[in-house]
């Protein structure tokens, strides 16, 4: 299973926001993305709301609206900002108001918010420009909260994926070398996020939150999720089918399913008094 570091090309490891083709590839099957991608822990949603001065939220890179609907259900007013029209249209059909544009180019038109959130999307935003933009649209005491899931499938499943992916896409930079553990990748990425927040010089010291949880995946559940990851969204159908067949066989060999340990990580910072 590709970790975040494998969801953008190697030359952009420290600047994934510049990999726009990858960033805007996830809408190729928005319905599958929304169905297969996991929600965020309720405890995370509650903690963000508790740390925010109010309930008006802008969701950066809202995608199909997974976390936006969670905040909406918790009583928040949510505006999504999403560059992929396919994802935005899906989110709108589920009741989320969405403006189609990158966050850096988005015109808030004088509107302000209590929190700026980003679920599994801040790596597609310039970390300094994004934090500075958040500061401009936040009300006094407003909160910036960016969060993502870190997870590694069982080694046998991960090895099967790596083997078949190297076979179908040998020239891909994602085929070079063994994958790093997901939490190592995300710790490095979140350090970049925190550094961007500090460089924006508008927030207090960033805090890191962590939420551990588990989810069981059947063979079909996992094969539904895999095509929504950045390593696979741009594969031709025949190559994707070969990857899924190889991984499916590995899951069959371990009994047809497995339990995934997830860590949902967050970086948060409150706006300094003006």
């Amino acid at each position: 299973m590709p970790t975040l570091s494998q969801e953008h090309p190697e030359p952009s490891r420290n600047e994934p926001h510049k990999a726009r083709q990858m960033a805007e590839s996830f809408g190729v099957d928005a319905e599958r993305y929304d169905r297969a991608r996991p929600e965020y822990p309720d405890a995370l949603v509650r903690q963000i709301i508790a740390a925010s001065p109010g309930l008006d939220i802008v969701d950066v890179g809202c995608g199909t609206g997974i976390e936006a609907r969670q905040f909406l259900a918790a009583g928040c007013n949510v505006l999504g900002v999403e560059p992929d029209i396919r994802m935005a249209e899906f989110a709108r059909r589920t009741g989320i108001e969405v403006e189609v544009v990158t966050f850096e180019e988005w015109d808030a038109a004088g509107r302000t918010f209590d929190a700026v959130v980003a679920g599994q999307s801040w790596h597609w935003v310039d970390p300094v420009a994004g934090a500075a933009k958040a500061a401009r649209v936040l009300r006094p005491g407003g909160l910036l909260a960016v969060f993502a899931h870190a997870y590694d499938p069982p080694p046998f499943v991960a090895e099967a994926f790596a083997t078949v992916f190297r076979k179908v896409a040998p020239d891909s930079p994602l085929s070079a070398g063994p994958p790093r553990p997901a939490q190592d990748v995300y710790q490095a990425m979140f350090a970049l996020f925190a550094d961007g927040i500090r460089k924006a010089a508008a927030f207090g010291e960033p805090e890191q939150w962590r939420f551990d949880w588990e989810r069981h995946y059947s063979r079909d559940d996992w094969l539904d999720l895999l095509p929504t990851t950045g390593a696979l969204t741009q594969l031709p159908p025949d190559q994707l089918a070969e990857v899924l067949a190889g991984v499916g066989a590995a899951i069959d060999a371990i009994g047809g399913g497995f339990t995934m340990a997830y860590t949902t990580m967050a970086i948060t910072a409150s706006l300094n008094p003006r």
Side-chain angles (χ1 to χ4, degrees):
M1 172 65 191
T3 60
L4 184 148
S5 70
Q6 295 169 292
E7 290 196 9
H8 55 77
E10 185 69 20
S12 298
R13 171 166 288 186
N14 292 321
E15 295 183 309
H17 59 279
K18 294 183 177 179
R20 297 314 308 168
Q21 184 177 3
M22 178 72 77
E24 296 176 26
S25 69
F26 297 95
V28 65
D29 190 344
E31 183 176 348
R32 181 198 291 267
Y33 185 101
D34 192 77
R35 177 180 67 240
R37 288 274 180 139
E39 292 187 339
Y40 295 88
D42 289 339
L44 168 66
V45 174
R46 291 194 300 269
Q47 194 163 329
I48 289 172
I49 292 172
S52 171
L55 298 176
D56 293 335
I57 291 177
V58 60
D59 183 3
V60 177
C62 70
T64 59
I66 293 172
E67 70 272 6
R69 294 192 298 273
Q70 292 184 259
F71 282 102
L72 198 65
C76 296
N77 308 305
V78 183
L79 173 65
V81 175
E82 167 58 48
D84 189 327
I85 185 62
R86 300 164 298 181
M87 304 285 265
E89 287 178 346
F90 187 100
R92 287 168 176 162
R93 293 197 297 272
T94 70
I96 305 301
E97 180 183 356
V98 186
E99 298 181 6
V100 181
V101 65
T102 64
F103 184 57
E104 295 94 326
E105 296 176 348
W106 173 58
D107 181 4
R111 293 167 293 180
T112 57
F113 300 84
D114 298 302
V116 171
V117 305
Q120 210 81 24
S121 63
W122 198 249
H123 52 294
W124 304 122
V125 176
D126 182 295
V128 180
K133 182 66 166 283
R136 292 195 294 273
V137 303
L138 282 171
R139 294 168 185 157
L143 185 74
L144 172 60
V146 303
F147 42 91
H149 304 305
Y151 53 99
D152 289 306
F156 188 65
V157 177
E159 289 164 8
F161 172 85
T163 297
V164 70
F165 189 80
R166 281 194 296 268
K167 178 182 176 184
V168 303
D171 297 329
S172 170
L174 307 181
S175 296
R180 297 162 60 199
Q183 289 202 32
D184 292 352
V185 172
Y186 276 81
Q187 284 289 0
M189 187 64 70
F190 272 62
L192 291 175
F193 297 165
D195 189 52
I197 292 169
R198 294 185 187 101
K199 288 179 178 177
F203 294 89
E205 178 61 18
E207 298 181 4
Q208 184 164 323
W209 302 346
R210 173 184 175 131
F211 304 84
D212 295 312
W213 53 285
E214 294 183 341
R215 177 172 174 175
H216 182 78
Y217 283 92
S218 68
R219 177 188 189 276
D220 290 346
D221 291 339
W222 189 246
L223 298 188
D224 202 27
L225 174 65
L226 268 183
T228 74
T229 62
L232 302 185
T233 53
Q234 300 178 86
L235 277 186
D238 59 331
Q239 293 182 357
L240 175 61
E242 189 171 350
V243 171
L244 297 183
V247 175
I251 297 173
D252 287 340
I254 60 172
F258 58 89
T259 298
M260 176 81 75
Y262 275 93
T263 296
T264 299
M265 301 167 61
I267 289 283
T268 68
S270 295
L271 191 66
N272 287 327
R274 290 189 173 96

